[in-house]
Amino acid sequence: MSEPVKGPASYFPSIEKKYGHPVGHWKDLIRSSSLTGHMELVSWLKTEHGLGHGHANALVAHTLKEGRQ
């Protein structure tokens, strides 16, 4: 039996369902942004793309942890 997904990735199914784009779409946007700070990116996703705070925060945290490669 597999363990449940924890942390920021646990939000991914609801993000895809609510906003109609795969998580990769959002990660690509974050990586291509000239913004670098966590909260800057969260605010940008909220204001420019209409994401809720929790969803934006989860995407940014997960993406920044992976790096901007």
Side-chain angles (χ1 to χ4, degrees):
M1 192 159 141
S2 63
E3 291 191 32
V5 177
K6 296 180 182 178
S10 67
Y11 286 87
F12 291 175
S14 62
I15 290 169
E16 291 179 339
K17 183 177 179 181
K18 183 167 185 168
Y19 304 106
H21 294 287
V23 168
H25 166 82
W26 301 110
K27 288 183 170 195
D28 288 345
L29 282 176
I30 292 165
R31 288 184 187 111
S32 67
S33 172
S34 62
L35 303 173
T36 58
H38 180 96
M39 289 310 296
E40 279 183 303
L41 288 160
V42 169
S43 293
W44 173 70
L45 287 173
K46 290 168 60 177
T47 59
E48 297 297 320
H49 299 282
L51 272 70
H53 181 82
H55 288 159
N57 189 56
L59 286 165
V60 171
H62 198 270
T63 304
L64 294 181
K65 185 176 178 183
E66 290 179 336
R68 288 182 170 245
Q69 286 18 292

